[in-house]
Amino acid sequence: GGYLKLWFEHQKTEKNYAEENIYHVTRRKEDGKWQVKLQKGDKAIKLFNTQEEAYAYAKKIAGNKEGTVHLHKVSGQIRKYK
């Protein structure tokens, strides 16, 4: 859809910079906690009990670094780009 097209256009123009500042909010399978991770990071930056708390934190740190946040569903599929 239009959302994805916009994201891909943004990636073309900001590719190198943006890759360093993409944060993912995902649910960990082992304990059900929500984690915030950098796209190229191996470890979680911080863990939360709820997706809402993790997303709010990710938006805050991404905003400080002009980054983007990819919010994932429990299934792992990307739900939202911000």
Side-chain angles (χ1 to χ4, degrees), residues 7-53:
W7 183 78
F8 280 115
E9 288 303 312
H10 172 74
Q11 288 300 303
K12 284 180 196 171
T13 58
E14 300 287 331
K15 190 174 182 186
N16 293 334
Y17 182 74
E19 281 180 8
E20 300 299 318
N21 296 297
I22 297 174
Y23 297 87
H24 290 266
V25 175
T26 58
R27 189 164 183 242
R28 295 198 326 181
K29 289 179 182 157
E30 62 267 28
D31 59 10
K33 298 252 186 205
W34 289 90
Q35 63 185 354
V36 176
K37 287 176 72 174
L38 260 172
Q39 178 155 306
K40 295 187 177 193
D42 292 329
K43 291 184 149 193
I45 296 169
K46 197 164 181 180
L47 298 175
F48 298 88
N49 291 321
T50 69
Q51 185 185 51
E52 186 178 353
E53 291 171 313

